[in-house]
Amino acid sequence: FTSLVMRDSTGESIGVLYLGLSASRASVPVTVPPEPVPSASLRDQDENITSLAFRIDVKSGRISTMNAASTYLLGYTPEDFKNDPKLLSARVLPEYHEAFEACLKDALRGVARSIEVGFARRDNSTVILAMMLYPGRNRERQVVSVEGIGRDITARKEMEQQLAVSMEELQAAYDRLQAQHEELQSLDRLKSQVLANVSHELRTPLV
């Protein structure tokens, strides 16, 4: 126990306060509850909503795994892709289809590939994904699946396209100005030549 003398404002003792602390309590550890961990579904929606992830089983040729981002990015649920093994390739835009199939074949042969692929969404709008396709292997190092990750770069590609159009317009405007400048220079040379001829004629006496 610890005692503490209590005094008033004049300094006179008005009582004694006794304090006691149990030694056994001092040794009891304090447990701090851990912060709650978000569920897998929440992490998927919060962090990976713009990143597609899937797995194609080599033996069956079917998509065995597809994350929920497929609904946001392509307009189809993971179940749609699992039920229709040709759906993913079918939604690839024609101008990207050959390169996409070639990358799939390379992944099946054990070679990882990266590619930009355009897809037609369910509503036929376009989304462009920067994709990485790489082989999944078993313990015997045999390729048993193709793992795919796709990140939405549609906004970036649209900005690049707008920038390219602006650069073309600037180049066209520059070419027009350059042509006008050359035309003015030609007229200036012609004017100088005419003035020189007139001056020569004025200085030459008539016979």
Side-chain angles (χ1 to χ4, degrees):
F1 284 88
T2 301
S3 61
L4 179 64
V5 178
M6 307 296 294
R7 302 180 184 275
D8 61 10
S9 59
T10 63
E12 293 184 0
S13 176
I14 58 175
V16 178
L17 177 65
Y18 292 94
L19 300 175
L21 178 64
S22 171
S24 60
R25 286 193 59 190
S27 62
V28 176
V30 178
T31 303
V32 179
E35 295 184 1
V37 178
S39 65
S41 60
L42 288 179
R43 289 197 302 268
D44 186 41
Q45 295 175 12
D46 189 39
E47 299 175 7
N48 301 323
I49 192 66
T50 58
S51 296
L52 188 71
F54 60 90
R55 176 182 294 120
I56 301 175
D57 181 71
V58 171
K59 186 175 181 179
S60 65
R62 304 183 71 87
I63 293 178
S64 58
T65 303
M66 175 74 76
N67 70 342
S70 66
T71 305
Y72 172 78
L73 292 173
L74 301 175
Y76 293 92
T77 66
E79 289 70 26
D80 291 331
F81 288 100
K82 292 176 183 178
N83 294 331
D84 185 355
K86 297 182 179 180
L87 179 58
L88 185 64
S89 294
R91 303 310 294 177
V92 175
L93 295 176
E95 58 268 33
Y96 295 92
H97 198 272
E98 183 176 352
F100 178 70
E101 292 296 329
C103 286
L104 278 178
K105 292 179 181 179
D106 284 344
L108 288 171
R109 290 197 297 265
V111 180
R113 292 286 302 275
S114 60
I115 186 177
E116 293 181 356
V117 186
F119 289 89
R121 305 179 76 249
R122 184 188 287 269
D123 61 4
N124 288 324
S125 61
T126 298
V127 61
I128 300 177
L129 304 181
M131 300 193 73
M132 171 66 76
L133 300 174
Y134 56 95
R137 302 178 184 272
N138 58 16
R139 293 183 177 180
E140 289 73 32
R141 305 299 298 164
Q142 297 173 326
V143 177
V144 295
S145 65
V146 173
E147 314 283 339
I149 299 175
R151 180 170 54 86
D152 185 4
I153 59 170
T154 307
R156 191 194 81 189
K157 299 301 289 185
E158 289 176 349
M159 291 180 62
E160 291 177 354
Q161 186 176 6
Q162 292 174 2
L163 180 60
V165 171
S166 297
M167 291 298 294
E168 290 178 359
E169 293 176 348
L170 286 173
Q171 184 64 44
Y174 173 81
D175 291 343
R176 290 194 298 269
L177 289 173
Q178 184 70 18
Q180 292 174 1
H181 176 69
E182 292 176 356
E183 184 178 356
L184 288 174
Q185 284 187 323
S186 178
L187 291 174
D188 189 58
R189 287 192 297 269
L190 179 60
K191 181 186 72 173
S192 298
Q193 184 178 356
V194 170
L195 290 176
N197 291 339
V198 171
S199 177
H200 174 74
E201 293 296 332
L202 290 177
R203 291 195 304 269
T204 303
L206 297 175
V207 178

